[in-house]
Amino acid sequence: MLEAAPATASEPKEVTVVLFSDAGQRIKPVRVARVVKTEEEWRKQLSGNAFEITRHADTEIAYSGKYWNLHDKGIYRCICCDNALFDSATKFESGTGWPSFWAPIAAENVTEIRDTTFGMARTAIACTECDAHLGHVFDDGPKPTHLRYCMNSASLRFVKQS
Ligand SMILES: [Zn+2]
């Protein structure tokens, strides 16, 4: 049996995100339909790890992902829907074992969600376009924002700048 989809009547069917080319060029803000798929559709599309992390807010084991130690130039897109999320120009060495950024590629492209699981008050970060869980944001990051977007590698797809 599939799990019943939660009611989404209060959630917008259209969202605004900023399009970026694979070279990292900002193109323009666009209105797009939110990507909504069933559990089964996501499960088919994603690896088991990416499915549990993006659709059920799991967290990958520190230092286990493929991007925490990546220093190449490029952009990081959503593994679920290809929405542009982060630019390598804002990536920094956090020492946590998770890819960390001090800003998203565009504020519109990520959504902050209050998260009180595990008895902690945290701010979860989701993809605006498909609602994928990406990680959390903390206020102990470097200049200029002092934010630390602590992401799961499995939620991201890196596009290297050629
Ligand atoms: Zn997405």
Side-chain angles (χ1 to χ4, degrees):
M1 282 292 289
L2 293 175
E3 290 176 41
T8 54
S10 62
E11 294 177 36
K13 288 196 168 60
E14 277 198 350
V15 291
T16 299
V17 296
V18 181
L19 285 182
F20 285 81
S21 72
D22 278 350
Q25 289 296 318
R26 185 184 172 104
I27 299 173
K28 60 178 178 182
V30 287
R31 292 287 288 171
V32 294
R34 276 185 73 236
V35 176
V36 178
K37 296 186 182 183
T38 65
E39 289 273 299
E40 217 39 52
E41 286 170 326
W42 285 126
R43 202 186 293 273
K44 272 184 201 154
Q45 177 186 330
L46 301 166
S47 71
N49 203 31
F51 174 77
E52 290 303 327
I53 290 166
T54 59
R55 309 323 308 184
H56 293 292
D58 197 3
T59 298
E60 71 195 10
I61 296 164
Y63 301 101
S64 74
K66 54 183 174 178
Y67 296 142
W68 68 272
N69 199 26
L70 183 71
H71 301 284
D72 292 345
K73 275 190 182 172
I75 66 168
Y76 294 82
R77 292 187 181 276
C78 177
I79 191 76
C80 294
C81 76
D82 259 3
N83 182 24
L85 298 172
F86 294 96
D87 189 312
S88 61
T90 67
K91 196 170 187 287
F92 69 97
E93 213 49 67
S94 65
T96 60
W98 290 288
S100 303
F101 306 84
W102 49 259
I105 200 165
E108 295 90 333
N109 291 18
V110 299
T111 302
E112 294 190 357
I113 301 164
R114 189 173 152 74
D115 176 5
T116 54
T117 55
F118 305 112
M120 294 180 276
R122 296 183 296 173
T123 304
I125 297 296
C127 172
T128 299
E129 193 166 335
C130 77
D131 205 31
H133 173 75
L134 306 173
H136 290 87
V137 63
F138 302 94
D139 59 7
D140 57 5
K143 290 177 183 175
T145 62
H146 302 282
L147 295 173
R148 172 169 61 92
Y149 286 81
C150 183
M151 300 292 108
N152 290 285
S153 298
S155 300
L156 306 172
R157 181 176 71 82
F158 181 65
V159 182
K160 192 172 177 169
Q161 198 173 309
S162 51

